[in-house]
Amino acid sequence: MMRPLALAAILAGLAAGAPTINVHIVAHTHDDVGWLKTVDEYYNGQNNSIQNAYVHIIIDTVIRCLELNPNRTFTYVEQAFFQRWWRQQDASVKELTRRLVKTGQLEFTNGGWCMHDEAAPHYLDMIDQTTLGHKFLMDEFGVAPKTGWQLDPFGHSATQAALLSAEVGFEGLFFGRIDYQDLNLRKQNREAEFVWRASPSLGKEAQVFSGLTGEYGGNYGPPSGFNWDVHNTDEPIQDDPDMTDYNVKSRVDDFVQAVHTEASQTRGVNVMMTMGSDFQFEDAFGWFYNLDKLIQHVNEDGRVNVFYSTPARYVEAKAAEKLSWPLKEDDFFPYADGPHQFWTGYFTSRPALKRYIRDTSAFFQAAKQVVALAGGDAQGLEKLSEALGVAQHHDSVSGTAKQHVTFDYAMRLANGRTLALPSVSASLGRLTSV
């Protein structure tokens, strides 16, 4: 359900008789499940000489900021991190988090263990890692994600659109990276959002509303000049007129211009602003402090309506407009972000890791069936399931992570296989003793 504040803002624009643009502010963070640092290093804020990232603190401060203001919303994706944070919380924090999820302030999108790659993994592994994350969300919160959020993978497959979006039950799918020539044409023709009918055999039954992110700039961050992460230097909003650096008018003008530019590249009166990027909201207070002021002063200006939102609410608003959309078939491969800059080397990079992941996946598929048939202990497969879930990440199976991170992925798979063997052996013993 759309929140009353967001719905009121949309209705106000319609009542005025003019096509006022409704701006959905989607606060989010993109937390790679390993890349320049390992999963553990990212979560615990270690090895910051490589990259400053501290996922535990991101989730901590976001939850506190949502508690302080019921209008604020936040979108989270990677369950490999969130479930780890969840297990470390006491009863009061868990109750608060459940309340935030129930009221719609905290929304999970995609909901898989990671944001998987779309070229290198086997489709069964994509399904398994998505199922692992969705099971956690259903068990703990009783919710299932309504939208796909594949912001960072290097190209997008028809399998993702049909099997891992429409048939999963997603009502929308969003991503950042498409070929630079395709991107430019879509912006010119107002086709930055579209219906993706990826399966020739299933047709309309497996189509999904899809759109680009990051003000349609080939990314998933905020408009230029509006990145208020603690490690960024963009100009904050200063709304105290007694201060010499009072800048409300210039900040509002710049934002309204960015909104109109984005709105000119798609259809309808609703646009989404993705406010956040890689490992952002480590100091969520600074981000939300400026977003609160932005919303207040832009709405006072009156040229556009701005409000906190989520991907699911945005899809709901777009559907309510009952627009006709351009149709996309096939896939978004290969991805190039400039002339002669094709991101295709990762199709074959780190072949040993790719083979080990595929081999481990085959073992896991057989292990699940053996344990199920024997009525064995499925908990013995838990660590292997989680290790394979992490391995589908778009910087793992793709082969684009640092060497020490790649070693960590392989170690997790090896440990998972070792821990799974007793359950598999016991189950085989039951089956062969009959």
Side-chain angles (χ1 to χ4, degrees), residues 1-4 6-7 102-104 107 146 310 312-313 316:
M1 291 290 291
M2 190 174 297
R3 287 176 66 82
L7 181 59
K102 185 176 181 179
T103 60
E107 181 175 294
K146 296 181 179 179
T310 65
R313 296 179 202 170
E316 184 181 350

Side-chain angles (χ1 to χ4, degrees), residues 4-25:
L5 187 64
L7 181 59
I10 294 173
L11 292 176
L14 295 174
T20 303
I21 300 171
N22 301 301
V23 186
H24 296 247
I25 296 292

